[in-house]
Amino acid sequence: MPSYVIVGASQGLGYEWLRQLSSDPTNTVIGLVRTPSNVHPKLAVDSISNVHIIKADMADNNSLIVAAAETKKITGGYVDYLIVNGVNQNVQENFLSPTEFVGKEDLLTSAMMDSVNVNLLGVIFTINAFVPLVRKSSIKKITVISTGFADRDMVEASTISFSVTYSAIKAALNIVVAKYAAELKPEGITLLALSPGLVDTGKNNGMPPEVAKKVGIMMADFKTHYPQWDGVPLTPAKSVQMQKKVIEDVDIDRTGSFLSHHGNKSWL
């Protein structure tokens, strides 16, 4: 009976993880969310009754320690798969290129620090809170959701100059994952930084014209570098299916890897 902890499970890919994993009654599925009252009604609508929702905030280390203690009671003391999906992204600054922050230094600073607190420190807090439970597992897998935007080779080859904070902090996160892998490999714990692909989670619906223009640039760039791509983002369901396969297939010899939903460096 494998146990899964999905961190950041209230919407988008995180909620889709809950939905798919709960379809197998032999799974023990736990979702960490900041506001459980927002998630319980969705589970009820989807007739999902075998998911445990625990309140936690990735930027609050104490809440994660408490969540790990609650998880221990539910699973009997172990976690097979820890999947850190939660993310902070500032829409106001995400589509600005580096020089466009002139006169917007406060926006850049606040966005960068918020990103560090959740996307970097929050991941460290989360892994440290749950690694004692992962150690008790026979599977021992920790996956952190990253992005192809954190691949330097991809960035250098592209014309996409925005997503500065998100890309930079996720690139730093990939190094953190590699450092955990170096430390925990002797214990048989497998670490993975995983890009979910380009996924339509509905967040870009009703975007303003200036953002739509940048998204158009991004899509054109993708088509240039991935001519075989059909131009259609993945659904959350398809992305999670592909992510799950990569997670299951990766072994200790590849611990610390940064991979796409294809299990390689093809980001679309």
Side-chain angles (χ1 to χ4, degrees):
M1 186 170 68
S3 57
Y4 296 82
V5 172
I6 311 300
V7 184
S10 63
Q11 59 185 337
L13 289 172
Y15 185 81
E16 181 61 25
W17 271 107
L18 298 185
R19 194 188 68 78
Q20 289 194 29
L21 292 172
S22 66
S23 66
D24 184 344
T26 67
N27 291 336
T28 299
V29 186
I30 298 166
L32 267 57
V33 303
R34 284 184 297 174
T35 311
S37 60
N38 290 343
V39 183
H40 287 301
K42 294 166 67 174
L43 293 171
V45 169
D46 290 333
S47 300
I48 297 173
S49 59
N50 57 336
V51 167
H52 304 269
I53 298 297
I54 298 176
K55 180 179 176 64
D57 185 337
M58 288 177 64
D60 181 350
N61 185 54
N62 288 334
S63 76
L64 292 163
I65 293 171
V66 171
E70 292 185 42
T71 297
K72 183 177 181 179
K73 296 176 186 176
I74 294 168
T75 66
Y78 67 95
V79 168
D80 293 315
Y81 297 93
L82 174 64
I83 300 172
V84 188
N85 172 77
V87 66
N88 175 279
Q89 203 167 5
N90 186 312
V91 177
Q92 279 186 294
E93 66 85 36
N94 192 51
F95 289 96
L96 297 177
S97 297
T99 62
E100 292 178 312
F101 286 109
V102 174
K104 299 183 176 71
E105 290 79 10
D106 288 346
L107 172 62
L108 174 60
T109 300
S110 63
M112 188 73 75
M113 295 312 301
D114 287 346
S115 185
V116 167
N117 288 337
V118 175
N119 302 332
L120 199 57
L121 293 176
V123 173
I124 295 173
F125 294 160
T126 301
I127 293 176
N128 287 349
F130 281 87
V131 76
L133 301 182
V134 176
R135 286 187 170 113
K136 299 294 185 181
S137 163
S138 60
I139 296 174
K140 300 182 180 181
K141 290 193 174 182
I142 299 173
T143 301
V144 177
I145 302 305
S146 186
T147 173
F149 280 139
D151 178 24
R152 185 183 174 110
D153 290 339
M154 189 278 283
V155 174
E156 288 181 353
S158 79
T159 60
I160 302 170
S161 59
F162 49 87
S163 192
V164 177
T165 292
Y166 182 67
S167 303
I169 300 305
K170 286 291 190 177
L173 176 61
N174 291 346
I175 293 295
V176 169
V177 170
K179 293 295 185 180
Y180 270 111
E183 178 186 3
L184 299 176
K185 183 176 181 179
E187 299 181 51
I189 298 176
T190 301
L191 274 291
L192 174 65
L194 179 62
S195 170
L198 182 64
V199 186
D200 182 5
T201 59
K203 290 184 178 180
N204 289 329
N205 293 342
M207 66 183 78
E210 62 273 16
V211 172
K213 181 180 178 180
K214 294 287 185 76
V215 171
I217 293 171
M218 179 179 72
M219 299 296 276
D221 187 276
F222 288 163
K223 284 293 289 182
T224 298
H225 292 93
Y226 295 88
Q228 77 283 3
W229 181 51
D230 63 7
V232 180
L234 296 170
T235 64
K238 183 62 175 178
S239 174
V240 168
Q241 289 170 9
M242 298 177 76
Q243 290 179 63
K244 187 170 184 289
K245 184 179 187 306
V246 175
I247 293 169
E248 290 172 348
D249 288 348
V250 74
D251 57 24
I252 194 67
D253 291 332
R254 301 180 76 190
T255 187
S257 294
F258 171 35
L259 301 175
S260 75
H261 55 298
H262 297 290
N264 54 30
K265 298 288 186 179
S266 180
W267 306 117
L268 288 177

